[in-house]
Amino acid sequence: LFAIFAFATCGGYSGGLRLSVDCANKSESDLNIDIAFAYPFRLHQVNFDAPTCEGKRRETLSLIGDFSSSAEFFVTIAVFAFLYSLAATVVYIFFQNKYRENNRGPLIDFIVTVVFSFLWLVGSSAWAKGLSDVKIATDPDEVLLLMSACKQQSNKCLPVRSPVMSSLNTSVVFGFLNFILWAGNIWFVFKETGWHSSGQRHAADTMEKQSSGYNQGGYNQDSYGPAGGYNQPGSYGQVGDYGQPQSYSQSGPTSFANQI
């Protein structure tokens, strides 16, 4: 829907302006000079006739500038984004198994989403600059400067109607909204790829290894257990222990020394 609004408000535009040239000789005046222009804004091809205020002679002039490249680039991105979104919706609904097979579908979807995000940013920025130039080129005061009759103080040149650019302003807004929408969707498409799941498994394995290594450390061993000298059974009943009664059962100091 955002793509439709973007290319409809730009590609379907047509507008115009009206000028008035009041010559010193009223019979030579032209108070309704209409200049129409439309997408793709090749303004240098827009011609119009204006009085010279020198008899009945008129001159043929044209607007200045060619802004078709940025406008057509913007509309092309919007059209292809709409077609891809439509195709992706069909795949999501009816071909979910094929989409997830071998993880190829999510990877392609992720790459295309990144590319469209970049194109929306570039296209919207270029068209915003192009629209600014279109507004200058179609400004009635700027167009009046092209007429030779308006360079004479005795003639009065006035703008009657300026072009309405509201739909073109809306197209720029929808262009940047599309960029935000597609850029934000990168994360959700990335979660469908194997890169996200493999990253989670790697993090889980790392935590598990760290946890197991900590549990096997010296803090969890029974340091006073079977390996400790104080808890060994019969530690006081071994030879050389003063607590054993047999050390005194033999007679004589020699036997006692031998026990030691």
Side-chain angles (χ1 to χ4, degrees):
L1 291 177
F2 277 43
I4 291 174
F5 290 139
F7 71 73
T9 51
C10 179
Y13 177 83
S14 62
L17 62 152
R18 179 176 294 175
L19 306 174
S20 173
V21 177
D22 188 7
C23 302
N25 185 359
K26 302 299 182 180
S27 62
E28 301 172 356
S29 302
D30 190 346
L31 303 181
N32 293 298
I33 303 175
D34 291 320
I35 305 174
F37 62 95
Y39 173 86
F41 307 104
R42 293 186 176 94
L43 301 183
H44 66 287
Q45 297 179 357
V46 178
N47 300 321
F48 61 96
D49 293 334
T52 60
C53 295
E54 297 176 355
K56 296 295 183 180
R57 188 173 66 88
R58 299 176 68 89
E59 60 181 351
T60 300
L61 302 173
S62 62
L63 299 179
I64 298 176
D66 182 5
F67 311 101
S68 60
S69 58
S70 59
E72 290 177 339
F73 181 60
F74 178 80
V75 171
T76 300
I77 294 173
V79 171
F80 277 104
F82 164 72
L83 294 176
Y84 179 78
S85 299
L86 188 63
T89 303
V90 173
V91 172
Y92 294 158
I93 297 175
F94 299 104
F95 302 99
Q96 186 66 229
N97 294 332
K98 291 291 184 180
Y99 174 78
R100 297 182 180 276
E101 185 177 357
N102 297 328
N103 201 36
R104 184 177 300 176
L107 291 179
I108 295 175
D109 197 11
F110 174 75
I111 294 173
V112 173
T113 303
V114 172
V115 171
F116 267 113
S117 300
F118 175 74
L119 291 178
W120 273 117
L121 177 61
V122 174
S124 300
S125 301
W127 171 230
K129 177 61 171 61
L131 177 58
S132 177
D133 294 337
V134 169
K135 290 180 178 180
I136 295 175
T138 58
D139 186 356
D141 292 330
E142 296 293 331
V143 178
L144 288 173
L145 298 177
L146 301 176
M147 302 179 183
S148 59
C150 298
K151 298 177 182 179
Q152 302 176 11
Q153 297 293 333
S154 59
N155 303 322
K156 295 181 180 180
C157 300
L158 298 173
V160 178
R161 186 182 68 236
S162 299
V164 179
M165 299 287 190
S166 57
S167 63
L168 296 181
N169 294 331
T170 305
S171 68
V172 174
V173 173
F174 273 107
F176 284 105
L177 286 178
N178 273 284
F179 163 69
I180 297 173
L181 181 66
W182 283 79
N185 196 44
I186 291 176
W187 167 248
F188 297 99
V189 179
F190 176 73
K191 291 174 64 178
E192 299 292 332
T193 63
W195 299 334
H196 180 261
S197 57
S198 62
Q200 285 186 333
R201 287 197 299 269
H202 177 70
D205 293 342
T206 303
M207 292 297 295
E208 184 178 355
K209 289 180 180 179
Q210 291 178 352
S211 178
S212 61
Y214 181 80
N215 291 334
Q216 291 176 2
Y219 290 101
N220 286 335
Q221 290 182 352
D222 192 0
S223 58
Y224 296 98
Y230 294 100
N231 287 334
Q232 291 181 357
S235 59
Y236 291 93
Q238 293 179 354
V239 177
D241 196 333
Y242 291 99
Q244 290 183 350
Q246 62 268 24
S247 61
Y248 295 97
S249 61
Q250 296 180 3
S251 59
T254 304
S255 60
F256 179 75
N258 290 336
Q259 291 291 336
I260 296 176

